Amino acid sequence: MDKLRFAIIGIGNMGTSHALNLCGEIQGAELTAVCDTNPERLKWAKEHLPETVQTFDTPEALFASRAMDAVLIATTHYDHPTLAVQAFESGYHVLVEKPAGVFTKAVREMNEAAAKSGKQFGIMYNQRTNPLYAKLRDLVLSGELGAIRRTNWIITNWYRSQSYYDSGGWRATWAGEGGGVLLNQDPHQLDLWQWTTGMMPKRVRAFCHFGKYRNIEVEDDVTAYVEYENGATGLFVTTTGEAPGTNRFELSGDNGRIVVEDGKLTFWRLRVPEPQFNAEYTGGFGQPECWKCDIPVSGGDGPQHKGILQNFTNALLRGEKLLAPGEEGIRGLTISNAMHLSAWTDDWVDLPLDEELFYAKLQEKIQASSFRKDGGSGKVLDVSGTH
């Protein structure tokens, strides 16, 4: 094919942004259809998108239309795996918004359906296009930092007001969204945490506060401690209730320390690796010589959502390697599921995750949820400043 035809399911906040990007911003891509169960959103599509874009009010009608080659799923979280499986079984390539889903049991089934279909599968991890994190990943995986000893991510600049949560009856509810800051704002950081280091935790201990700063039922403040197989430890701190917030990712290794903050990547590089210095030094007080290196990174924040759309298109048209394979969405979700489960059970959680136990605990939360299908303002929010 010389043109990749896209359909979008869900034209709310992110779906609207993707629709506009696919109308001329992505080389080789063409938006040919959109689907939404909300008549107002279909009306918007007819008024603002090219007249050649078909509209559908059910996924079943969309899948039967054969109007596209690939489906971009931008619905509420619970529907991501279900719709992806249906799309694969209908013969379409799939690009799914983050998070991959709410619970890993469903996401694992989605991954299996993708493998069985033989179709291309991607996930909207647009922060992987950010040159800062690409360079960090290169430094770590190439061995420049040496063996990792500690990771520490403070990501508290996700400020959200009560009006944000009130904009949709599904927001910040267990039944509607499936979680709070971990599932809505932090999927990118949870993905980057493992993607840049190449490591998944072996066990997790988390402390989640539910509705601490806002009138919501899900978590809006989290502090989690993790341990890795190599003996390294990690800390992840996040909230939507602090202003001003911080976004600082720090990694310590045998060869020094790397910090990503304020759009900069700084490497405090030891001239001699710490284990070697410790084995050879006999002077009592002292430490390895350290150089502060400002690592050059160009390209700003990178192409973000457009970058993932272009990469996915190129993968199908020209065989380009996917930057964010959909199958990898289960990794960050596993970490957030483990954090929830640890808080719910007030205990350590070992990985691999007990998916059945997590699912059972989630069902208890859903049964007590205040989810309102038709609640909230229904206003489509501007997401141009989010990631």
Side-chain angles (χ1 to χ4, degrees), residues 260-384:
V260 179
E261 187 176 23
D262 295 332
K264 299 178 182 179
L265 197 158
T266 307
F267 187 2
W268 279 268
R269 193 179 191 283
L270 300 182
R271 191 173 184 187
V272 176
E274 190 282 328
Q276 178 184 340
F277 178 86
N278 184 57
E280 298 174 351
Y281 185 69
T282 58
F285 289 105
Q287 59 183 312
E289 181 179 342
C290 181
W291 301 340
K292 180 183 178 182
C293 306
D294 294 320
I295 305 299
V297 179
S298 60
D301 290 337
Q304 295 293 321
H305 299 99
K306 292 180 184 179
I308 295 296
L309 285 169
Q310 190 66 69
N311 171 246
F312 188 81
T313 300
N314 293 347
L316 281 161
L317 297 184
R318 295 193 284 274
E320 185 175 299
K321 184 178 180 181
L322 281 181
L323 179 60
E327 294 84 355
E328 295 182 6
I330 199 169
R331 298 177 185 173
L333 184 63
T334 295
I335 298 173
S336 69
N337 279 186
M339 290 180 182
H340 277 136
L341 187 57
S342 175
W344 293 339
T345 60
D346 194 22
D347 201 357
W348 284 94
V349 169
D350 294 324
L351 300 185
L353 180 72
D354 186 337
E355 295 180 345
E356 295 297 337
L357 177 59
F358 175 84
Y359 182 75
K361 293 293 184 181
L362 178 61
Q363 296 311 301
E364 294 176 5
K365 300 295 181 183
I366 291 173
Q367 292 302 315
S369 177
S370 62
F371 169 63
R372 305 183 317 279
K373 186 174 182 180
D374 58 350
S377 67
K379 181 181 179 182
V380 174
L381 302 176
D382 178 10
V383 296
S384 60

Side-chain angles (χ1 to χ4, degrees), residues 3 17-31 305-307 309-310 313:
K3 203 83 168 177
S17 178
H18 296 320
L20 296 175
N21 283 336
L22 286 168
C23 291
E25 295 290 319
I26 310 302
Q27 185 177 4
E30 178 184 11
L31 181 65
H305 299 99
K306 292 180 184 179
L309 285 169
Q310 190 66 69
T313 300

Side-chain angles (χ1 to χ4, degrees), residues 161-169 171 215-216 372 375-378:
S161 66
Q162 187 65 49
S163 63
Y164 164 82
Y165 292 114
D166 293 344
S167 69
R171 287 190 182 279
N215 183 25
I216 58 176
R372 305 183 317 279
S377 67

